[in-house]
Structure formats: structure tokens, C-alpha cells
Amino acid sequence: MRPLRNLQPKIVPISVPITYTSGEQIEVYRFSIPVTVGAPLLALFLQAFLPRRLPFFSIFDLPLLVTIFFAMARRNPISGLLTGAAIGLVQDMLGPYPIGIYGIAKTVVGYGASSLGAKLDVENVGARFLVTMGFYLVHAAVYFTVARGMVNLTLDWSWSRGILAGLANALLGVGLYFVLDKFKQRT
Amino acid sequence: MESLLGRYRNLTILVAVLFLQVLGLAVQVKRSPDAENTRLIRRWAVDLVTPFERGLVWAQNGGNNLWHNYFFLRGVRAENRQLKEQIEQMRLEQVRVREDATQAHRLQSLLAFKEQFIAKTVPAQVIGSSGSDLSWSIYIDKGSNDGIAQDMAVITSGGIVGKVLRVYPATSLVLMINDQSSGVGAMLEKSRLQGVARGTPNGELILDRVMSDEKVTPGENVLSSGGDQIFPKGLPVGTVSQVGPGREMFLSIKVKPTADLSRLEEVLVVTEKQERAPVAAESGGSVRAADILAQRLPSVPDKPPEVAGASPAGTAASGATGEAATGAGEKPQAHDAVPSLTGTGTTVEVVKKVTPKPATGDSATNGGARNETGSSPALRATSAASSPTPKSATSPTKPAMAPPKPSNNAPTPQPATEDSPH
């Protein structure tokens, strides 16, 4: 009698995300190339253009909101950190300080948001609000650390201003994510 | 090892990306923030964003101009009338200011001061900002193609705005004075205390390096001191809004910028500065002050040589003229130059010319000033009009009998400076 070698169970690697949202299977989204390129560029453009016309707008950080959105929607840490790095570096290039401060901060945020997005229900408005506010503070903390520690900029941290800006960005983020949700494509 | 990297692939890539950025940042910091090593990639980013900004600004201005210049003309007549009245008031003010300026220039020229003047400016439009709420910088629509260079001063009619930090072919990045990395040599208008105007992280402007034992009051104007070699001296920077004790031995002085930095639309870039000694009078050529004065005064008949040499009258005149060398409204001058006037026939002669019509014009004043530097007796004598002139030297009732006599007819020794007052 021949041995049953081929009957042993064969393990096949499956690349299906095994995370969940609210007990349901998680959905990983992708975006078309025009949206992938155009949305960050539009955010950078508006961030550079609007504060001159509407001074209060300088409290917002549109590139950060776009970074968080893409990172949470794709749920891929590498994609998230690379998106954050790219957006942050372009934002640095437009500013007067050395290139890399925003790049580092947004890389960390992109990685964190995509990692968190893979574990939490980020379709919920409340979760989005809290996640955005939290990552705004993380972003500010990393930015201040790098700016003070490496570039020797004398930045003064104000908790009241930080929290206020975090709330404002979270509010704007909830609205912005709602608009950007329209461009999601299921994988 | 391979399996370890595969297991922590995401984390490994994160660390690698962060490491590369930290490395790049360290290289930039070590070289210089203004180094050219990042110029090309910055230019790519600027070229990516600024065309859209230009387009939007152009469209916005076009719309505004169409509306304001062709449709919405309500109240223009009233405004025109108001502006005309304002011009009249400003003309009156200008006369007074011109007198003060002339006097200041004269004093500066006495001390051989050199001053920087704005010789040429290029108007530019603000098209965007850096896109960060932690840095205060703007983009303007003029670049190296328009003659803009690094470290040029950027101003508005209200006051100073900042300096050109980076220049691209069609755009420039301007670092505003309220950015934390900027610094402007500044001084207080009244007390002339000097300090450094610098920005804070939240975009406020402070005047630093003013000792705590000095008295500074809110409302006082802050001007550029010219010490930074970027902004010419005397441009408005802001107004002191708050004064309090600061760090160490210095005051904490908050300054409200004169220019509205958050709503800038058009600015002027100072592309050329001139450094020259201020001139007291603007009359060109090599006309001597004495000649100008002679033309302005009523003429008197030529005196015989023997009268001109009369020493008693000359002495009397010189005694009077030494007190008011620079014309009306000025303080008496020192008497140390008086002895040089005595005994000259010319002195007497010119004093007689002066008496009927006081010389109050700019030329007279300036001429007097110029002659002081060379201790010219003739011009000191002419200024006696505003001083109590001895009766022996005055003859108001004498008719004009001869055309104005050029003073070079007189044997007065003229100093070298008078021949070329400018």
C-alpha cells in the first residue's frame, strides 16, 4: 500500500486582511491615480493659498487631514507612511525652514493612522473625530520635537492653542472625509 | 535575519524612511538653512503650486477690478471730494515737514552723515504663503527675472514687511518680520532706544534687547534703525502695544506691525538703495548759496570801496549777525566765529541788502548752513535779517537802485565748500 503523502494538508498563504470593523470584515479601499495625486496637491495648494485670504484658515492643516484619510482608508502602513512622507516633504519645500520637519511628522502620522485604521472602525464619525484630533497632537509633538531638537527653532507649545487647533482640524476632517469618501474604490 | 526583517517589514521601512529624512535634515542644518543644496527640489515644489496661485490671484483681481472700476462706483464723488481736502491738509503739513527735513539734513551734512535712500522699488503681488501655520512667509509674483535678489527689503506704504529669503525665476519667498527666525534692527522713535524686532512662534512681533531700566510707553512708534543693512533707516515697523518685564535684564515689548501682515496683497521690493550724504538744498548745479540769496533780496547801490572798509559798522553788523546764522526760526549760533566777520567791508554791504526783506526761504537757510561749515563771513551776515540788526547797518528806506549784485564781486574769501554746495 502506497503511503498517502499527498493527502497531508497544504498551507497556502492568504493575503486577506483579518482585521475587522464593528464586527464586520474590514474593507480596504484604493483610489484612482488622479485622486491619489490630485487630492494631496489640492490640499497643499489650498493650504498655501487660503491663509492669505482667510487668515483664520492658518489654524488648519489640510495636508495632515489628507494624510490621515488616505492612511486610514488604505490600511496599509507602508502606503500610509510613504504618503505622509511625500506630502510632508512637499509642504517643507514650500516653507522657509529645512526640508524634513513636516516630512518626519507626517511619516509618523501616516504610519500610525494606517496601523490604527487596520484595527478600529474608522468609518464612524466619532472615531474619525477622535482619531484626527489625536493625530493632530501627535503630529504637533513630533514637529516640535524635531524643530527644537534638530533645527533649533524656538517654538513655544501652547496647550490651549494645540487643543483648539486639534478640535478645529477634527471638525474639518470629519467633513472632508465625508467628501473624500465619494472617491473610494473597493478593492 | 531575513525572517526578522520580513516579520517587522512595516516597522523596518518606517525606521528607514525616518532615518533618511533625519539624515537629510542634519545635512541641511549643518550646512546652512540658506544653502543652495535644496534649491532645485524647492523650485520643483514652487513651480508645482505657484502657477495655480497666480491664476487664481489674476482671476480674483480681474473680477474685483471689473466690479469696482466699472459697476460699483457709488460714493466716488464724495470720496474724491474728501481726498482733495485731505491733499490740501497734507500740503500744509508737507511745508512744515519739509522745513524740518531740511534742517535735519543740514545738521546731518554738517556731521558728514551718510544715509541710505530707497532708489528703486519693484511692485509685486502676494500670491500665496508657505502653507504652514508655524512659519510666516509669503510668495510674491516677482523673481530673479524681475531683478529680485536675496535679502532685499520688502515694504508697503504702511511699513516694512520682511526680506526676500529665496528667489526663483518668477516668484520669491519673503520671510516676514513676525516670523520667529527673522530679525530687524529697530529703534523707538522718541527715545531712540535701539533693539531687535523679531517674531514669535505665534506670529507676534516683539522688540527685543531693550534694557529693563529704560522707559518705554505703549503707543510709541518703532522704526527701522538701518543696523541690519537690509532695511533703510527710518521706515515704520510698528507701534508699541504692550510693555512688561522680560527675561534677564530686558523688557518684553510687544509691537503691533504697521503693515497689516495678515492681509497683504501688494508689496514693494526695494531693489536698489543709495548711500549718500544728505543735501540741505535741492537746487542743482554749482550755484552758490550767496548767489541765490543775492537774487532773492532787494538790491542796494554799490558802495564805494572806502565805505565798505569802514570797520565800526562792520563790527556792529557782525555782532548782530553772529546770532542768527541760519535764518528765521533757528537758534542763535555760537559766537566763536564772530571775530572772523569783523572788519570786512563785505559784511556791512550784505547786511544792508538783507534788512528790507528777511530771507526766510530754504535757499537762504541752507546757504547759511553751508557757509557755516566754511565759516564764510558773507553768509553769516546775510542771515541777520531775522535777528535784531543794528540800526547803523540797516537801511530799510533805501530804494533799490541797482540790479542784484553777485556776491562774487565782493572780495569776501569764499570757502571751498561754498563753490560746490552739492
Side-chain angles (χ1 to χ4, degrees):
Chain A
M1 195 172 170
R2 292 175 65 185
L4 297 172
R5 283 182 191 168
N6 294 332
L7 292 179
Q8 287 180 354
K10 190 177 180 181
I11 299 169
V12 179
I14 302 168
S15 61
V16 175
I18 50 169
T19 50
Y20 56 88
T21 60
S22 302
E24 297 168 10
Q25 188 177 357
I26 195 166
E27 283 191 283
V28 178
Y29 298 100
R30 65 185 177 88
F31 299 89
S32 65
I33 292 175
V35 174
T36 305
V37 177
L41 279 181
L42 185 66
L44 286 163
F45 166 72
L46 290 176
Q47 190 66 44
F49 184 76
L50 285 180
R52 301 309 313 163
R53 268 73 195 167
L54 308 166
F56 71 90
F57 200 87
S58 64
I59 202 169
F60 297 116
D61 192 341
L62 279 180
L64 174 70
L65 299 180
V66 171
T67 302
I68 294 172
F69 174 79
F70 278 116
M72 287 195 303
R74 287 179 179 139
R75 297 186 167 100
N76 181 341
I78 295 173
S79 165
L81 74 90
L82 290 178
T83 304
I87 292 175
L89 288 174
V90 176
Q91 201 175 359
D92 276 322
M93 287 174 204
L94 293 171
Y97 303 139
I99 297 171
I101 312 178
Y102 273 117
I104 291 171
K106 285 192 168 59
T107 302
V108 173
V109 168
Y111 180 83
S114 55
S115 302
L116 200 68
K119 294 187 173 76
L120 288 178
D121 174 13
V122 285
E123 307 295 319
N124 183 292
V125 172
R128 282 181 165 182
F129 183 88
L130 290 175
V131 166
T132 306
M133 189 171 165
F135 277 115
Y136 179 86
L137 295 174
V138 170
H139 177 267
V142 176
Y143 183 94
F144 273 61
T145 306
V146 175
R148 293 187 74 149
M150 285 196 68
V151 189
N152 207 18
L153 291 176
T154 51
L155 297 173
D156 294 328
W157 172 253
S158 159
W159 275 107
S160 57
R161 190 177 186 279
I163 289 171
L164 187 71
L167 285 170
N169 277 279
L171 275 174
L172 181 67
V174 169
L176 182 71
Y177 302 155
F178 182 74
V179 175
L180 288 173
D181 278 340
K182 312 282 182 199
F183 298 101
K184 279 178 173 176
Q185 294 175 349
R186 289 173 190 271
T187 52
Chain B
M1 181 67 185
E2 196 178 321
S3 61
L4 195 70
L5 285 178
R7 189 175 176 187
Y8 297 104
R9 194 178 62 143
N10 295 344
L11 208 57
T12 309
I13 293 173
L14 173 69
V15 171
V17 171
L18 287 178
F19 177 74
L20 283 175
Q21 291 185 76
V22 169
L23 198 68
L25 202 55
V27 170
Q28 291 173 71
V29 172
K30 192 182 175 189
R31 286 185 183 171
S32 161
D34 297 330
E36 294 294 304
N37 52 351
T38 57
R39 183 178 166 75
L40 191 63
I41 45 176
R42 282 187 193 276
R43 191 175 155 181
W44 290 340
V46 170
D47 288 347
L48 198 68
V49 172
T50 50
F52 298 104
E53 291 177 334
R54 277 169 177 274
L56 268 181
V57 169
W58 180 83
Q60 189 186 13
N61 288 344
N64 279 345
N65 289 340
L66 193 70
W67 173 251
H68 285 110
N69 296 340
Y70 291 97
F71 297 110
F72 190 74
L73 296 172
R74 192 179 148 203
V76 167
R77 279 178 195 278
E79 190 184 359
N80 192 32
R81 201 180 311 120
Q82 201 178 9
L83 288 172
K84 279 181 178 171
E85 287 170 8
Q86 202 177 344
I87 287 172
E88 290 302 317
Q89 285 177 355
M90 289 178 84
R91 276 184 183 153
L92 290 173
E93 179 75 6
Q94 191 188 12
V95 172
R96 189 185 66 76
V97 171
R98 190 187 290 161
E99 285 297 318
D100 289 348
T102 309
Q103 186 181 359
H105 286 171
R106 182 176 54 75
L107 293 170
Q108 285 177 338
S109 65
L110 281 175
L111 297 168
F113 276 3
K114 285 200 169 178
E115 207 175 329
Q116 279 192 336
F117 292 87
I118 295 172
K120 195 178 170 188
T121 57
V122 172
Q125 201 151 40
V126 178
I127 56 171
S129 67
S130 64
S132 163
D133 61 337
L134 297 169
S135 67
W136 295 82
S137 52
I138 51 170
Y139 278 93
I140 55 173
D141 67 343
K142 295 286 189 299
S144 55
N145 295 341
D146 307 285
I148 309 293
Q150 201 177 9
D151 283 341
M152 282 181 171
V154 181
I155 60 173
T156 64
S157 56
I160 66 173
V161 171
K163 67 166 187 175
V164 176
L165 187 68
R166 291 195 190 97
V167 186
Y168 306 101
T171 50
S172 301
L173 179 66
V174 176
L175 188 71
M176 293 203 286
I177 54 170
N178 60 340
D179 187 274
Q180 58 174 318
S181 61
S182 76
V184 179
M187 65 179 177
L188 290 157
E189 188 180 28
K190 287 178 190 167
S191 58
R192 315 307 284 181
L193 288 170
Q194 299 221 0
V196 178
R198 61 173 77 251
T200 63
N202 45 4
E204 288 178 336
L205 187 65
I206 56 165
L207 185 63
D208 207 2
R209 304 283 159 186
V210 175
M211 301 297 284
S212 55
D213 56 348
E214 303 287 358
K215 191 180 177 187
V216 180
T217 51
E220 194 169 349
N221 290 333
V222 181
L223 308 174
S224 59
S225 68
D228 49 30
Q229 301 292 315
I230 293 174
F231 299 98
K233 188 178 178 181
L235 294 176
V237 176
T239 312
V240 173
S241 60
Q242 196 180 334
V243 184
R247 288 177 300 176
E248 299 173 359
M249 304 173 294
F250 301 108
L251 286 173
S252 167
I253 303 171
K254 279 188 184 175
V255 178
K256 186 185 176 195
T258 321
D260 191 353
L261 299 176
S262 59
R263 290 183 184 277
L264 289 170
E265 288 186 13
E266 284 95 20
V267 293
L268 292 171
V269 185
V270 180
T271 52
E272 199 178 317
K273 286 182 289 187
Q274 269 185 356
E275 196 175 73
R276 59 184 162 93
V279 288
E282 293 300 326
S283 54
S286 58
V287 181
R288 296 187 308 176
D291 295 340
I292 297 168
L293 197 61
Q295 287 172 6
R296 292 171 66 96
L297 296 172
S299 58
V300 292
D302 290 338
K303 290 286 177 186
E306 62 272 12
V307 176
S311 60
T315 312
S318 64
T321 56
E323 290 185 346
T326 55
E330 292 202 311
K331 288 182 179 178
Q333 302 296 315
H335 286 270
D336 54 358
V338 171
S340 68
L341 303 175
T342 56
T344 59
T346 317
T347 306
V348 178
E349 194 178 289
V350 180
V351 167
K352 285 182 178 176
K353 282 183 182 177
V354 167
T355 313
K357 180 183 174 184
T360 54
D362 294 342
S363 302
T365 308
N366 302 334
R370 292 237 164 252
N371 279 283
E372 274 179 21
T373 58
S375 29
S376 164
L379 263 291
R380 283 180 184 281
T382 57
S383 301
S386 60
S387 65
T389 314
K391 284 182 180 178
S392 62
T394 57
S395 55
T397 53
K398 278 192 176 181
M401 295 174 68
K405 192 182 79 172
S407 63
N408 56 5
N409 291 341
T412 312
Q414 299 291 342
T417 53
E418 194 178 84
D419 289 328
S420 55
H422 304 290

